[in-house]
């Protein structure tokens, strides 16, 4: 193996099985959302987060591209938000829970949703009235993620890999979005260390060590689940 390449979806699957968070949420923010349309209405396999085909069906296709102001150099990847529109007679009260898998700017928008996510904001049988509007005003807030691949309200600030031959932690390169890589990785089992920022507790930063989280005969493109939980 000449290099190690990790999509952050793999690292988060390894590291972050979400636990319940007891922190108070800030007030929802006002914003605007648009939508993009794929043939199946779901996510795109070419999103800037680097999730590839898994990005299509994340969160049942309720995914979005974050604007430049929310992108945070790719730290936004995997973040979950609750988005609600407020058009009476068209929008429901529940809104839609989305996951960021891409980056994109529209007409002064905060997010560009998949069409499936966009129409999920509508009342029953009202999607045909919501979709033609193309861009709508919304309120949105960051929320804990409630499924396997993404962990709570954490932003990943960096990933390190342990090289036992020199007994040092080495920084992996944030290639783009949620993709980290490293040339000439150490042989054998791999331990990782994640630098995480908890946005629900005033931005507290901590390191999470994952010993031997990737087995000796690892293969590219395979997800390795450590079942580690973060609170």
């Amino acid at each position: 193996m000449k290099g190690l390449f990790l999509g952050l979806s793999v690292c988060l699957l390894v590291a972050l099985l979400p636990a319940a968070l007891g922190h108070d949420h800030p007030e929802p923010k006002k914003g605007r959302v648009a939508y993009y349309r794929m043939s199946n209405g779901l996510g795109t396999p070419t999103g800037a987060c680097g999730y590839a085909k898994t990005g299509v069906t994340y969160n049942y296709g309720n995914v979005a591209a974050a604007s430049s102001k929310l992108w945070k150099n790719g730290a936004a990847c995997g973040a979950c938000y609750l988005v609600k529109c407020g058009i009476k007679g068209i929008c429901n009260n529940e809104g839609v829970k989305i996951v960021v898998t891409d980056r994109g700017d529209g007409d002064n928008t905060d997010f560009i949703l998949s069409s499936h996510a966009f129409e999920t904001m509508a009342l029953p049988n009202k999607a045909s009235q919501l979709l033609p509007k193309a861009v709508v005003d919304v309120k949105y807030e960051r929320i804990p993620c409630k499924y396997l691949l993404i962990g709570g309200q954490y932003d990943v600030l960096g990933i390190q890999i342990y090289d036992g031959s020199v007994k040092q932690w080495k920084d992996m390169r944030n290639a783009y979005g949620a993709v980290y890589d490293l040339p000439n990785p150490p042989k054998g089992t791999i331990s990782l260390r994640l630098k995480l920022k908890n946005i629900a507790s005033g931005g507290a930063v901590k390191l999470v060590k994952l010993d031997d989280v990737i087995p000796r005969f690892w293969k590219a493109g395979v997800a390795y689940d450590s079942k580690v939980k973060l609170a």
Side-chain angles (χ1 to χ4, degrees), residues 22-177:
H23 306 292
D24 293 332
H25 298 303
E27 288 296 316
K29 298 179 180 179
K30 294 181 179 180
R32 284 161 57 85
V33 302
Y35 71 92
Y36 63 86
R37 186 183 292 278
M38 302 294 290
S39 60
N40 57 9
L42 305 180
T44 172
T46 58
C49 288
Y51 294 149
K53 291 182 179 179
T54 57
V56 175
T57 55
Y58 260 11
N59 196 35
Y60 307 103
N62 290 328
V63 296
S67 64
S68 296
K69 70 178 182 181
L70 297 174
W71 179 244
K72 294 183 285 188
N73 293 322
C77 291
C80 296
Y81 290 85
L82 175 62
V83 181
K84 297 181 181 182
C85 58
I87 306 173
K88 292 183 178 180
I90 296 180
C91 298
N92 60 41
N93 294 325
E94 293 76 23
V96 61
K97 296 176 181 179
I98 61 168
V99 178
V100 174
T101 60
D102 198 0
R103 176 181 181 176
D105 292 292
D107 181 12
N108 196 31
T109 57
D110 296 272
F111 300 100
I112 302 177
L113 311 184
S114 67
S115 58
H116 184 272
F118 194 88
E119 65 185 14
T120 298
M121 296 188 296
L123 289 165
N125 303 315
K126 295 294 183 178
S128 61
Q129 296 182 39
L130 182 61
L131 289 171
K133 295 184 180 299
V135 181
V136 296
D137 293 330
V138 297
K139 290 184 178 180
Y140 68 90
E141 60 182 301
R142 182 83 177 264
I143 60 172
C145 299
K146 295 296 184 182
Y147 61 97
L148 182 64
L149 291 177
I150 308 298
Q153 297 194 75
Y154 291 92
D155 286 340
V156 178
L157 303 181
I159 300 178
Q160 295 178 318
I161 189 169
Y162 187 71
D163 189 340
S165 65
V166 294
K167 300 186 184 305
Q168 289 182 351
W169 288 96
K170 295 183 177 180
D171 292 329
M172 298 187 72
R173 181 179 72 102
N174 185 194
Y176 63 91

